[in-house]
Amino acid sequence: MIGQQIHDLARLLWPMNRSLTGDGVRQTLSTIQALHLPGMTLHEVPTGTQAFDWVVPREWRVREAYLVTPSGERICDFSINNLHLLGYSIGVRQSMGLAELSGHLHSLPEQPEAIPYITSYYKERWGFCLSHRQRLALQDGVYQVVIDAELFDGHLSYGELLIPGTSRREVLLSTYVCHPSMANNELSGPTVTTFLAKWLLSLPERACSYRIVFIPETIGSIVYLSRHLAALQQDVIAGFNVTCVGDERAYSLLPSRLGDTLSDKVARHVLKWIDPGFRTHRWHERGSDERQYCAPGVGLPIASIMRSMYGSYPEYHTSLDDLVSVVTPAGLAGGYQVLRHALEAIERHCHPRATVLGEPQLGKRGLYPSISTRTSGAEALLMLDLLTWADGQHSLIDIADICEVPVWDLYPLLDTLRAHQLLAV
Amino acid sequence: MIGQQIHDLARLLWPMNRSLTGDGVRQTLSTIQALHLPGMTLHEVPTGTQAFDWVVPREWRVREAYLVTPSGERICDFSINNLHLLGYSIGVRQSMGLAELSGHLHSLPEQPEAIPYITSYYKERWGFCLSHRQRLALQDGVYQVVIDAELFDGHLSYGELLIPGTSRREVLLSTYVCHPSMANNELSGPTVTTFLAKWLLSLPERACSYRIVFIPETIGSIVYLSRHLAALQQDVIAGFNVTCVGDERAYSLLPSRLGDTLSDKVARHVLKWIDPGFRTHRWHERGSDERQYCAPGVGLPIASIMRSMYGSYPEYHTSLDDLVSVVTPAGLAGGYQVLRHALEAIERHCHPRATVLGEPQLGKRGLYPSISTRTSGAEALLMLDLLTWADGQHSLIDIADICEVPVWDLYPLLDTLRAHQLLAV
Amino acid sequence: MIGQQIHDLARLLWPMNRSLTGDGVRQTLSTIQALHLPGMTLHEVPTGTQAFDWVVPREWRVREAYLVTPSGERICDFSINNLHLLGYSIGVRQSMGLAELSGHLHSLPEQPEAIPYITSYYKERWGFCLSHRQRLALQDGVYQVVIDAELFDGHLSYGELLIPGTSRREVLLSTYVCHPSMANNELSGPTVTTFLAKWLLSLPERACSYRIVFIPETIGSIVYLSRHLAALQQDVIAGFNVTCVGDERAYSLLPSRLGDTLSDKVARHVLKWIDPGFRTHRWHERGSDERQYCAPGVGLPIASIMRSMYGSYPEYHTSLDDLVSVVTPAGLAGGYQVLRHALEAIERHCHPRATVLGEPQLGKRGLYPSISTRTSGAEALLMLDLLTWADGQHSLIDIADICEVPVWDLYPLLDTLRAHQLLAV
């Protein structure tokens, strides 16, 4: 159900030519804004803007790109699959033999059916990507190279949605919109994030505020951090980089750099109850915006809860990472649910304190059986366990871990005990 | 020897009808006072007294209780076994058919020879407990129910013994006197505690003071805490809830709530040297007064060193928990010895400090062999190990653990080194 | 090469009669000074000087010592092997039967070819040590005992070399010169230390200062500490007791007393990369000057990196611990290299800090590939790992451990990043 809705959005966004910059990013953001998140604001940052050690690059525009074979066939057509064009290619209109052309072709001999995804953001190049099977079939002769593209002083685009809560505590969700037609390592991120935002907006009240950003990877997070660092460092108590949340093969975690933030604790707790066999990756394997959010001097508590992590599955960064065989409604629903559990655990994060000394007399409140047998009270024991650990030192997550139950089993007990004024948070 | 003395006292106390309140408790306390602990003071707390979240209940008095079968036989006679009467039963004198009576009968199908122990302290009920074998033999017909019992505004009784030491550091021993005729889960506690108190009183001098209480479980510790909390929180450095210390099947530990107090360290150390296979239970399995002593906001360092823990052995809370097959002189002697070792370790608890820089020259004091060989000094090595760790940071228990010896092996070495003024404590 | 040079020095020092005091120590020190370390200063401490709990003993001088058998043969001749004479023997010139003599003979039945090494520093004795094979061959009859030796008020001798660095941070190397003709458990220490000192002197610049002492064991370190304690406690950040660094059979570590000093961290790191199977001994097994350096109240961060540790190999403290079958050029070279790696790691010890927020753009500095593929950047990843952990909290050793590389792999990367002003230390 929710999985199908997320998948529908992903299919809609599929053909847009996302990159670091350009109209494909703008289309992606305005589609999400128009259909689901009207409160999202779109931002444009001019080429040349300094952001920490980086500079916003030129904007990329592609009108068309293809090769014409010696026999007159049009191949590697960008309009059919935008992966055919090397990302950030400069414009070219030229004829050349196959030998010369070959230096500009990229394919994967070990995956002969896959079109690889290649970019050259910071050095001017041009090139085409194609399946190795197709490449081997190329005939000798003169090829026409047509790339009607340009790099120009324009803007970097990103979207931002602020959802207020009743406290200044803030949760950051960051997802990226800079890869062209790929599913797990691109569209699963912004689409699941969109539906998490809708769920958050549907809540009658939120304890935390939420800051949700849709940005190009690396340069986008650096630009965003450079504009908001002090506020983020002051308010953000947890957050996730949302990527690779759409396949059905695994659940996995890339912890934050230091590995012990609230985000990490929540992620580990939720994942172990959803999938005891979830994989924990090492920080060494990082590869997305957590590199910036967790950097020395930045130090935000950002982890990544994923299905199959980027780099860990064979279709990664190829045309095989699609919305048919890799990313499915069920896979997206799983990614959505685990992140929603995590956000709920952050919403309800607290350090409960018992309000009476010693155990309260649950019996007089109808919360404990009135007759003792050797097994009596078994059903009330979890409530007593919650009370015994409610010392203001243990968080609700800590208590759930000690009690060996998922934290969501404690929510109704916490509510009951608060209603009886036996617990304060 | 000591085990037989403890067992004798337990047999004397066996028939008394202990409960939360009542004359059975008073008889138990005054017997211990008269025979062994004349210094113990007895206290009475009126019904209705508020204690934290609780109120002292009415006092329970039973004159007689039994059933008369259709054939005129008197069964379930309280005067023969006080477990037959449901604890805190109200008075009843009535005739009824077996079907109606059955709603008031309690038995254990899976243990057909055992009379179960059942109470209903905080809701008015009446009932009889009997073996399932006996229950199955009951004939249809009219039964007479006789319970000459009453609940009235009276008192809750407890005993307290204060044994002064040379410092304000205080050790709390708490044991309960509220179960009728059961052995491991009742009489082993107060009887072993009585003989530990006698041993403490026999010492020429004590570093610690000792506060020993004989109370009804739960409501008793809550009442006691509500009267003495500030003093206890200020002075108590360690202590034990003494229960289930009489059988021969196991040694076990229920650590304090936080698990790292001096009591826990001492208990783990002593137990591993007495019985390397001792069982460590989790706080989740708690079930006695540690629930109150370790509660949030109370936070006393109380652990439970036991033989077979309540709830963990088949005879628990039935008539089978007796002084014949379950609790034995040898079992009681083991419980006594392990607790005495623990108390001695608390008495001798210190953080030794070497008084000279570098190693002292043990040889000139006759403490080290004067000729070196490849193995010389082996016998003096433990003394050197004690000295090398005597940095004021490691406790004597820590040092024993590092040296892999029981702490009592260090007592004579400590005394020797203190006599030579090489160690200060 | 270096191993052969060290071995040559050891062979030169072999025959000298080292003990706690005396001309053998002086010869050893002045030979090292003359041939290799002209900057070393020699110190003499008078008999009777108080040092902490100890007193500098009398000086020992031996002119000759031997036995004459009933058949007139001269055996156990000190001039042939100085192990024959019990260390610190008093002078004797006497005839006696074999039975009486036997009380003064020492041999090892379980190692019949070995002459044991025995001393009696602090009680006046005399004695001879011989192989058990030789002892069994002794004939009945009258033996002449000749020991022309004396204990007199003289001095304890030690050598000290101070090598200045650019900071006050100081590294202590301590080695002992008090055992007669034995190789691993004596000469490997001062000879390897000599060549480490030469390497340190050859460096164009040193971040740390080095304090290198050649002392008799135990009394020597106590004397040295008693003269320099405050300075050592203020400046010494790490150091090693250098002993047993000459055989080829193992690498091993005796950590400092508390086990977590910089010396320990460096030693563990270096050893695991040089020999993953290295042995870690427990503090309980200590037996050299770490006993004094790490003592309570002294507390210097001194560990021992060794090849086969004293006491752990069969030839220990016997004539079999020689420069032929036990200590070899290759064994000495290994001991030298592992200690040099450790000293270099201390020299380069730092807590790097990234100078830019977020990741720096390595590409614009030519430090990162300009085209992305699924595997691009693999070669730059270690540099990014160094940067991501450069938070001022992790030492270079910590970072190497996290990255699972030897710390020396990070030195060139650190230098490059510092040259680009991307890291500060």
Side-chain angles (χ1 to χ4, degrees), chain B residues 354 356-361 364-365 368 370-374 381 384-385 387-391 394 402 404, chain C residues 52-54 106 111 118-120 122-123 125 229 257 282-284 286 291-292 295-297 314 316-317:
Chain B
V356 299
L357 288 167
E359 290 185 340
Q361 194 180 359
K364 72 184 181 192
R365 298 174 177 89
Y368 202 82
S370 63
I371 189 165
S372 80
T373 68
R374 287 199 301 184
L381 194 52
L384 285 171
D385 278 347
L387 281 163
T388 197
W389 292 109
D391 54 9
H394 291 80
I402 293 171
E404 300 180 351
Chain C
F52 297 156
D53 191 50
W54 299 64
H106 303 274
Q111 281 177 292
I118 314 278
T119 65
S120 180
Y122 295 98
K123 176 165 182 192
R125 275 199 179 83
L229 184 60
R257 187 169 66 92
R282 298 177 51 231
W283 179 249
H284 173 77
R286 72 197 177 279
R291 293 156 60 172
Q292 315 311 326
Y316 171 70
H317 268 201

Side-chain angles (χ1 to χ4, degrees), chain C residues 82-247:
Chain C
N82 52 29
L83 290 175
H84 278 309
L85 183 62
L86 179 132
Y88 260 60
S89 268
I90 55 174
V92 173
R93 184 171 296 267
Q94 204 178 332
S95 295
M96 64 184 66
L98 181 56
E100 185 183 351
L101 177 61
S102 271
H104 296 272
L105 298 184
H106 303 274
S107 65
L108 298 169
E110 69 278 18
Q111 281 177 292
E113 300 302 320
I115 306 169
Y117 168 56
I118 314 278
T119 65
S120 180
Y121 295 138
Y122 295 98
K123 176 165 182 192
E124 291 196 0
R125 275 199 179 83
W126 65 266
F128 283 89
C129 303
L130 69 172
S131 74
H132 202 64
R133 183 191 48 71
Q134 184 176 23
R135 184 177 192 165
L136 292 175
L138 295 181
Q139 306 292 324
D140 271 344
V142 174
Y143 285 75
Q144 273 189 278
V145 179
V146 178
I147 303 179
D148 183 355
E150 58 187 318
L151 292 167
F152 62 99
D153 285 352
H155 294 82
L156 174 150
S157 314
Y158 70 86
E160 180 190 44
L161 174 63
L162 302 174
I163 306 177
T166 57
S167 77
R168 285 196 64 169
R169 285 177 294 146
E170 195 172 282
V171 179
L172 174 66
L173 293 181
S174 176
T175 191
Y176 50 80
V177 286
C178 61
H179 293 69
S181 302
M182 289 180 292
N184 195 42
N185 187 42
E186 173 77 3
L187 287 171
S188 70
T191 56
V192 164
T193 303
T194 296
F195 281 83
L196 288 170
K198 291 185 77 170
W199 167 69
L200 288 166
L201 287 162
S202 76
L203 297 176
E205 180 175 277
R206 288 161 299 272
C208 299
S209 300
Y210 292 82
R211 186 186 288 256
I212 304 179
V213 295
F214 298 77
I215 53 177
E217 217 177 2
T218 304
I219 183 66
S221 51
I222 285 171
V223 164
Y224 194 81
L225 281 169
S226 73
R227 294 178 155 203
H228 300 284
L229 184 60
L232 292 164
Q233 289 180 326
Q234 183 174 302
D235 294 334
V236 171
I237 60 162
F240 300 101
N241 182 50
V242 185
T243 176
C244 294
V245 285
D247 74 316

Side-chain angles (χ1 to χ4, degrees), chain C residues 266-415:
Chain C
V266 162
R268 287 198 184 88
H269 181 86
V270 168
L271 282 166
K272 84 176 171 193
W273 285 103
I274 297 293
D275 175 10
F278 82 94
R279 297 181 204 159
T280 300
H281 292 277
R282 298 177 51 231
W283 179 249
H284 173 77
E285 301 172 70
R286 72 197 177 279
S288 185
D289 286 320
E290 72 285 344
R291 293 156 60 172
Q292 315 311 326
Y293 293 129
C294 299
V298 178
L300 297 179
I302 305 299
S304 302
I305 293 176
M306 291 167 283
R307 305 292 316 241
S308 293
M309 176 165 159
Y310 45 83
S312 77
Y313 58 98
E315 301 89 350
Y316 171 70
H317 268 201
T318 77
S319 58
L320 305 181
D321 184 354
D322 64 23
L323 285 166
V324 178
S325 58
V326 173
V327 166
T328 63
L332 291 161
Y336 169 85
Q337 291 298 350
V338 73
L339 278 160
R340 189 171 138 174
H341 269 303
L343 295 177
E344 201 170 6
I346 296 166
E347 270 287 300
R348 302 214 50 155
H349 177 59
C350 61
H351 292 75
R353 278 173 291 107
T355 57
V356 298
L357 289 167
E359 288 186 340
Q361 194 180 0
L362 294 180
K364 71 184 182 193
R365 296 174 179 88
L367 301 174
Y368 202 81
S370 62
I371 189 165
S372 79
T373 67
R374 288 199 302 186
T375 60
S376 71
E379 62 287 351
L381 195 52
L382 186 57
M383 191 174 279
L384 284 171
D385 277 349
L386 174 51
L387 280 163
T388 199
W389 292 108
D391 55 9
Q393 304 301 311
H394 292 80
S395 74
L396 201 63
I397 294 274
D398 293 336
I399 297 173
D401 281 338
I402 293 172
C403 296
E404 301 182 350
V405 297
V407 67
W408 44 88
D409 282 8
L410 296 181
Y411 301 155
L413 302 182
L414 182 75
D415 293 340

Side-chain angles (χ1 to χ4, degrees), chain A residues 359 361 364 372 374 385, chain B residues 53-54 111 284 286 292:
Chain A
E359 289 186 341
Q361 194 181 358
K364 70 183 183 192
S372 81
R374 286 199 302 184
D385 277 348
Chain B
D53 191 50
W54 299 64
Q111 280 177 291
H284 174 77
R286 72 198 178 280
Q292 315 312 327

